[in-house]
Structure formats: C-alpha cells, structure tokens
Amino acid sequence: MENNPSPKKGSNAIYSICAFIVDKRNLFFLIFAILGIFAVFTRNWVSVENSLSAYLPETTETKQGIDLMAKEFKTYGTCSVMIANVSYEQAEKIRDDFKNINGVFSVEFDDSTDHYNNGSALYKITFDYDENDAQVLVPLDEVKKYIEPYDSYLSTTLGDIQSELIADEMKVISVLVVIVVLAVLLVTTQAYAEIPVLLITFGAGAVLQMGSNFILGTISFVSNSVTIVLQLALSVDYAVIFLNRYKEEHRDKEPREAIITALTKAIPEISGSSLTTIGGLIAMTFMQYRIGPDMGIVLIKAIILSLVSVFTLMPGVIMLFSGLMETTKHKNFIPDIPFVGHFDYHTRFIIAPLFLVSIVVAFFISNNCPYVFGYSTLHTPIQNDVQIADKMIADNFNDDNLVAFLVPAGDYDKEKQLLDDLEARSEVKSCVGLANTEAMNGYTLTDKLTPRQFSELIDLDYELAELIYTAYAINDEDYAKVINGLPSYKVPLIDMFMYIHDEIEEGYVSLDDDTKETLDDAYKMMNFAKEQLQGENYSRMLVYLNLPEESQETQDFIDKMHDMAHEYYDGEVYAAGECVSQYDLKKTFARDNLVVTIVSILVVLVVLLFTFKSAGMPVLLIAVIQGSIWINFSVPSLMHDNIFFLSELIVSSIQMGANIDYAIVIAGRYTELRATKGKHDSIVETMNASFPTIVTSGTMLAVAGILIGKLTSDGAIYGIGQCLGRGTIISILITMFVLPQILMVGDTIISKTAFVMNMPLRAKEAQGLNRVDGIIRGRINGVVTGRISAIVRGDINAFVEAGDVTPVTEEDLNKAINALPTREYDSTDPMSISKGPGSGSETHGAAESVNLEDPSDISSGDSGPGPSKETENMRNNGKEEGNNA
C-alpha cells in the first residue's frame, strides 16, 4: 500500500514532487550525508574578519586611511606585557631577557611612570615580522611561555585570540540553547519521538549552513558567532509547522500518504512564513556599513538551507520515526488560555488607544537611545582574558588613544612644523614621525647634515664623506652643489644612510669593519622607522591623544587636526584609529538606521498584502511590531545603558522579520474565525489555538538572545543578544495582550480595506468524513455556495476560499452533533440546521443563509466583519451555477 499513490492526486505536479521526495528518501539521505561530510571540511575554509572597521564604507576616511596604510607602510607586530609585583631591578632583567628572544626587534621600557608604576612593569615589544605574517606568532608564543611564572597580563591584536575566545563562548551558548530547545519541545510536542525528527532536520540545516560559508570567502566574526544560534531560533518553526500538518493528515491516512499530503500543504504555508523573516533580513543588505550585508546574506542563506532541509530531508525522517511517534505519544502539556482571550475582549477599548499613545512616546524616547560606536564605554557581563589584561594595563598605566595621521610625503620641514604644532596642543600627549624621531647623538632622522657633520657622527674619514656626498649630489642631479658648495651641502640623515647602505650592498663603497658595523646598526633602526613612517606618497605620524576614545571633544579635535594639516598641505590628509572609526560609524548610522527601518517595513508590507488581501491588516500588524521595536530601544534610553549601535540595526531587522510571524498567526486565525463567530468567541479560540505556536517559537528566540547577551564578552554580540531577547519578549507580550484588542477594534478597517486578488482557486477534492470551513463554491452531492462550517460525510468537489477541507474522525463528528443547538428543520430553508441526516450528503454544522437574489444578504449579526468582495464574486458565480443546475 505504501507505494500506491492516490490516482486523483497523482496528476498534480506538486503532489508528484512531494511523492518523489518521500519515495526517494534514501537518495536524499545519501545527498545530505555527502554534503554533511563535505561541510565538515569546508567549514574551515572560510576566513573570519575580526575588525569592525574593515566593514566601513569605502568612502569613509577610516577605510581610505586603512587601505592606504596597507599599501604604503609596513606595520610590525607588537604586544604589551604587564608584569605585576616586581622590583625595578627585576623589571630591567626581564627587559633584557625579552630582547634576547629570537624574533624580538625592540623592547620599550624605562623608569618613567609610563613603564613602571605601582610595582608593575609595562613592556611594549615589537617583533621582526609584519603583523599579518604568520611567523610573528612564533616569538609571541615565546613571550607567552616566558611570562607564565609571573603575575602577568598580555595584550595584543596578533593572531585570532579574540575570535577563538568568542568561538569558545558560542559553543557554550549553543549547548545551552539546544538544552532549552529540548525542554521546550518536550513540553510542546505530543510524542517524544518527534524531538529527534526536529533535531535531525535542524542539525542538517545547521551543518550545511556552516559548510557553505566558504562560498562567501570571508565573513565577519559577528556572523560567524551568532548565525547558528539564530538559525535555530528563527527556522525551527518551519519543521514544527510541517510536523503538525503531518499529524493532522495522519488521523485518517497511512504515514506515506499523510506525509505527501502534509508536504503539499506545508510548502506554500512555510514558504509564506519564511518570506517575512527573509524580508526583514533583506533590509540589512541595504546598509552602508557592510557588516549588515554580511550578516544579512549569511542569515538569509541559513533560512533557505533550513527550508531545503525541511522540504527534502524531513519527510524521510518522519517516515523513519513514524512508528516511534505512535508509540511514544504523551499528553499535551500546553494548556488552553481562555483567560487571555477574555481579558483581551473586555479591555479592547482601553488597551488599543493606550498602545497608540505608548508607541508615540516610545518613538521619541527610542530616538534618544544612548548608542555608542566603540567598546570603550561598554560593560559586558563577562570578560575574557584579553579584556582582563587590557583593563589591568589601563588601571595601572595611561591608556593610549592612538590616531595614525597621513600627510603627503616629501617635505621633512613641513612634517617637523606640523608635529611641533600638534605636540603644542593640550589634547595631544605625544607624536611620533620621521621628523622628530631621534637617530644618533641628538640628531633626528630628518635633520640635514653637512659632509663634516656626517663624518664626525659615524667617525668616517672626511675625504671619504665628501666623495659620498658628491656621488649623492650627482645621483640627485644637483650638480651645482658639487661645483660650488659641497662643504655646505646638507642631506637628511635618513636619506644619506639609506644611500650609503645601497652603495655598500652594490660594492661601490668599502668601509672598515667598525664603521660598517656602526652603519649597519644605524641602518637597521632607520629602515625600521622608515618602513613604518614613510611611504611612496604619504608619511605617517602617530598621534597619541589625551582624550577618551569616544567623545564629542575627540571628534572635534579630529576635525581640528585636519585644519592644522591643511595649513601646510594642499593634498588630501587622512586620519585612522579607533576614535576616527567610531566617528565614521556615527556618520553612517543615521542613514543606515532609516534605510533598514523603511526597507524592512516595505518588504514585510508587500508579503502581508498578499497574505491577507487587505490594506488595513498589514498596517495594523506592522504598527504593532514597529511599536515593539521602539519600546525595545526605549529601555536602554530610560536605563541610561550604553548600547552598541550595531544592535539596533540588526535586531530591528530580525524583530520586524521574525516576530511579525506571531502577529500573523493570531491575525490569520482571528480572521478565519470571525467569518462564523462573534468577537468574543473568536478571540478566545484564537488565543487558545495560537498560544502553542507562539510559546514554542518565541521561547526559543528569546532564550537564545538572552543567553547570547549573558554569556559573551564581545560588546557587539552582547548588544545583539540583549536587545533580541528583550525585543522578542516584548513582541510576545504585545501580540498576546495588545494585538487582539487592535484586531477587534479594527474589524471595520480590515473589512473596508479588503481587495480582490484575481488568483486561480484550486479545487478541493475529498471523500469520506471531512470538515468544511470557509467560503466555497462547488458540489457536496449538490451545489453549495456561501460560507459554511460543517462536517460532511460524502463526496466534495469545490473551490474553497478563506478556509480548508480537512479530514476528521467519528469522534469529532459526535462532538459536533452534541454541540449543535436544537431546532426544527425547515424544509423551505435549505441552509437550516438539522441534527438528522439530509438528502444526498449528510451535513452537520452551520451555514449562513444566502439569498441569491439579494447579493448583499449574508446575515451574520456580530459573527463577522461583513461580506467581502470575494464573497460577492463567488455568490454571483454560485447563482449562475445554481440556475444551470
């Protein structure tokens, strides 16, 4: 029997596809197994970007400055090491030991309070390798081994220490989220064997998600950290919807037929549900700050792969576990909540206007939310080893606020004047540039020396110095100096050292061993400085500020630095650093925030218009969720709690896209019930029916957000988790205790703004015992046109709008008969209710009286919002069909 498809449905394309998925389940098992194995390897192919500034728009000063520095300068790897509880003599010995480590270029340490304070020593170690060279990690590891016996703290940006720590945190979070999901499923499922079905389905989607990230090349550490947890919370609904559909169909069908039928119904339903979530995520891709597109694309891919897993893998998994699901059934632990519906009904004229006032107030309060654009003022619930080290160093020594300032190269005098001007400012602690870096015996790197001064500096024979200067002048095509004034000819010290070194390397100049050793040592130090501070087109100045990283005063001084530079330079100048990056992020935030809000609303609005075929309903639902978002971000404003700006951009998109599903569940059920029931009964039944879905999905997403917010040390991830958890809880409360009142008060608006979608209706065919709900046109052993809610025994072939035909059991029939009111059957009224069998089909239930001569006549009292245009169209079609009959 398993391999005999229904002859009536076999011709249907979607039915045939669903049957193929179920019958060829072993093929899909094999495909997923192969892809899973492949994903185990490919998950390590993706690169993870740990810098938030890397995602700044190309037009920002920070991004341009970073790209320019990468092109023109070499940045050597560094680390800061603090060793506590040591004497100064011990600290000096440790400095010498650091210098002797292979791969260490220099160690900065002296007796000033910048390096020795409160019995603690601070060393700034520079390595021989570029910070992006993997070889730099070798001496770094040697430093780590050396300081292990001491009370030590190491701070560095080398390697992936931060991302590794975050990854470890997310593993813990993921385990806890899985435990919570298991607990929720134990309560909300109806059989213990349903749990492995759901976990296998989600696990497959998660593995494919991680394994497919390599397609993107590089993803942000934010996306890499939170995607799996959010994927679980956002997409578990899809598997639950399909499983519930299967259980409905399995009441009177064997597992294979039930799965196929359930899949045909679940595909459009789940696809429609996912569109709102994807719509919210699409809004993130419109952000200028490119971490939004990065995370949006990764999450959209995660949702799509979850859908693929549900539609192609889950049917086969259900077949495997169908027997166990029968034997492991347990009672339903989710209670009915009629008190919520009663409360919503009796407070509809109070809560609805209060909510309107609340969201207006929340809008203005949320606009004053204390957003920050760096980590310096954020306090995460836990701190990792890097943060602890940074804090200990900052508590004992002055914290550096470094700005790299790039000016056009080629004029050492201008550089010297600008450096002097900057150091004269009270906002500046110190500056480092070629023009003020000491070289030898009090001379700076750019000081200009005569042949006599140069010969005395390195103890070089004067005649040889003159010859070298002559060769330099000829090479520089400055022939006048050779002829007229060689003794007064001056050359910048660094340029002369670079020239002599090249001449020695090429064999044009020979020096004695002592002079050559002196020259080599000086060249090494000067070349080290030149590679970091002088490029082909730009010179780099390192400006250490006495200002906090994030403040208006700092931003004002950055603008002042540009003004000071333009007094000497006509070309472009650039500043880069944490405080500059935060300044740029602040500039892009206002635009990104507006775009994300508008795009997410528009995309979700379009989806809702097609879902409800009403202009009023989408507006009401979006107002509810957008109001939830404003309330969510009013909380940190009222608590004066700084929040990372990225949290608002990402969470508002997710909250709009995902949380609106809760509103859709309630609105859809209420609209369906209002066609046949009064407001009170409709809302009570709606809340009872919607609560399991909302509590399942909402609990998972809220707990996932809360755990992320409580168990991470990264400021950006902490803010996302904190706001997502709080926002989901707010959305749940509002959809449970505010949305119902709005729907009841807005009944008239919804009905008046309904419109006709000229979509082809698909005929429903069924035999046996079935429940019929909705506006129908077709035959139930005769022609029936109108709204109907009944249990039918017989053949059904009808178009159904705003409802469905679902199989029921004899027990359901008996319950329906006992619940019917008793009144005599009127033979002149074919729509009257009778508890006895009728002619043709046996029908039990309620149908509205329809006078085909009067198109406005659909008597409903308070049982519905009124006839829709779809109803009138179907009524006219029914009249024609009835006349033909």
Side-chain angles (χ1 to χ4, degrees), residues 269-377:
E269 182 179 356
I270 294 172
S271 299
S273 176
S274 67
L275 285 177
T276 54
T277 303
I278 292 174
L281 298 176
I282 287 175
M284 294 168 59
T285 66
F286 285 83
M287 288 169 52
Q288 277 186 314
Y289 186 41
R290 292 181 295 114
I291 206 167
D294 174 87
M295 193 170 182
I297 291 171
V298 172
L299 282 173
I300 290 171
K301 178 167 62 69
I303 297 298
I304 292 173
L305 290 173
S306 294
L307 292 174
V308 171
S309 181
V310 169
F311 293 155
T312 61
L313 177 66
M314 191 173 177
V317 177
I318 293 177
M319 280 294 295
L320 287 180
F321 284 86
S322 59
L324 278 176
M325 285 193 286
E326 288 298 318
T327 57
T328 60
K329 284 185 177 180
H330 58 75
K331 69 175 183 178
N332 186 6
F333 298 115
I334 300 294
D336 286 341
I337 52 170
F339 59 91
V340 174
H342 296 319
F343 170 82
D344 293 339
Y345 178 79
H346 292 296
T347 60
R348 62 191 186 281
F349 295 117
I350 300 174
I351 297 295
L354 281 178
F355 178 71
L356 180 61
V357 174
S358 299
I359 63 174
V360 172
V361 174
F363 168 75
F364 289 103
I365 295 177
S366 62
N367 281 340
N368 294 317
C369 190
Y371 298 113
V372 295
F373 303 87
Y375 286 2
S376 59
T377 58

Side-chain angles (χ1 to χ4, degrees), residues 614-732:
S614 166
M617 181 68 84
V619 172
L620 293 177
L621 299 187
I622 288 175
V624 167
I625 299 302
Q626 186 59 52
S628 302
I629 295 172
W630 288 332
I631 292 172
N632 183 19
F633 289 95
S634 294
V635 173
S637 183
L638 295 173
M639 301 292 292
H640 303 290
D641 184 17
N642 288 344
I643 181 172
F644 196 59
F645 79 103
L646 192 60
S647 308
E648 206 278 343
L649 296 173
I650 292 176
V651 172
S652 61
S653 299
I654 295 176
Q655 198 173 345
M656 175 59 73
N659 291 174
I660 202 164
D661 281 349
Y662 313 150
I664 292 173
V665 169
I666 291 176
R669 177 75 64 163
Y670 175 75
T671 303
E672 181 180 336
L673 292 172
R674 278 290 286 127
T676 57
K677 299 179 184 292
K679 289 181 180 179
H680 180 270
D681 292 343
S682 296
I683 206 62
V684 170
E685 190 172 335
T686 293
M687 301 315 294
N688 285 336
S690 304
F691 182 62
T693 301
I694 295 174
V695 75
T696 301
S697 174
T699 300
M700 292 179 186
L701 187 56
V703 170
I706 291 170
L707 288 175
I708 291 172
K710 292 294 184 183
L711 298 176
T712 186
S713 58
D714 182 83
I717 298 174
Y718 157 70
I720 292 171
Q722 181 190 45
C723 295
L724 183 60
R726 182 179 62 232
T728 302
I729 292 172
I730 291 172
S731 295
I732 292 173

Side-chain angles (χ1 to χ4, degrees), residues 613-618 748-755:
K613 304 180 196 61
S614 166
M617 181 68 84
T748 303
I749 297 176
I750 296 170
S751 63
K752 294 292 185 183
T753 56
F755 56 85

Side-chain angles (χ1 to χ4, degrees), residues 370-618:
Y371 298 113
V372 295
F373 303 87
Y375 286 2
S376 59
T377 58
L378 292 176
H379 303 286
T380 54
I382 63 173
Q383 290 191 317
N384 58 43
D385 293 342
V386 174
Q387 290 169 321
I388 292 172
D390 289 340
K391 186 176 186 304
M392 289 298 296
I393 293 173
D395 289 344
N396 288 276
F397 300 93
N398 293 326
D399 197 14
D400 290 334
N401 182 7
L402 172 63
V403 175
F405 202 41
L406 310 181
V407 298
D411 193 326
Y412 294 140
D413 292 333
K414 289 182 179 179
E415 288 182 31
K416 174 66 173 164
Q417 291 173 327
L418 179 57
L419 286 167
D420 290 342
D421 289 349
L422 288 169
E423 286 195 314
R425 300 282 306 200
S426 61
E427 297 92 343
V428 177
K429 177 182 176 183
S430 64
C431 294
V432 176
L434 281 180
N436 70 348
T437 298
E438 185 176 346
M440 301 171 64
N441 296 353
Y443 289 114
T444 66
L445 291 173
T446 60
D447 281 344
K448 296 180 178 180
L449 275 66
T450 65
R452 174 72 64 185
Q453 292 171 317
F454 185 76
S455 67
E456 293 173 351
L457 177 66
I458 64 171
D459 196 20
L460 181 68
D461 183 75
Y462 177 68
E463 286 73 15
L464 181 58
E466 281 189 319
L467 286 174
I468 293 174
Y469 266 64
T470 300
Y472 182 92
I474 294 173
N475 184 69
D476 201 35
E477 298 184 356
D478 195 353
Y479 304 109
K481 292 293 183 182
V482 178
I483 298 172
N484 301 322
L486 190 61
S488 62
Y489 182 32
K490 292 184 177 182
V491 177
L493 185 59
I494 187 172
D495 292 346
M496 182 53 67
F497 267 100
M498 296 296 107
Y499 175 74
I500 294 176
H501 179 269
D502 291 342
E503 294 296 297
I504 292 174
E505 289 294 311
E506 294 176 11
Y508 297 128
V509 176
S510 297
L511 301 174
D512 61 74
D513 291 341
D514 290 341
T515 304
K516 188 174 185 304
E517 182 178 355
T518 300
L519 188 66
D520 286 343
D521 291 341
Y523 171 79
K524 183 179 179 181
M525 295 298 296
M526 291 183 186
N527 187 62
F528 178 79
K530 183 176 182 179
E531 286 184 327
Q532 295 190 90
L533 299 175
Q534 186 178 53
E536 182 179 355
N537 301 298
Y538 280 85
S539 292
R540 177 162 61 177
M541 303 175 182
L542 305 180
V543 183
Y544 295 88
L545 302 181
N546 285 320
L547 302 171
E549 273 191 7
E550 189 167 0
S551 70
Q552 187 59 49
E553 185 182 5
T554 304
Q555 295 167 8
D556 292 341
F557 186 69
I558 292 171
D559 292 335
K560 180 63 178 177
M561 288 174 62
H562 285 78
D563 294 338
M564 294 170 67
H566 284 304
E567 292 179 7
Y568 299 101
Y569 299 99
D570 295 328
E572 292 292 334
V573 297
Y574 300 94
E578 282 299 321
C579 58
V580 186
S581 173
Q582 293 163 20
Y583 191 17
D584 286 335
L585 289 172
K586 185 176 182 180
K587 293 175 183 176
T588 64
F589 173 65
R591 182 264 184 195
D592 281 348
N593 195 21
L594 180 63
V595 168
V596 166
T597 301
I598 293 175
V599 173
S600 62
I601 288 176
L602 289 178
V603 174
V604 173
L605 179 65
V606 170
V607 175
L608 295 181
L609 282 172
F610 283 93
T611 300
F612 290 99
K613 304 180 196 61
S614 166
M617 181 68 84

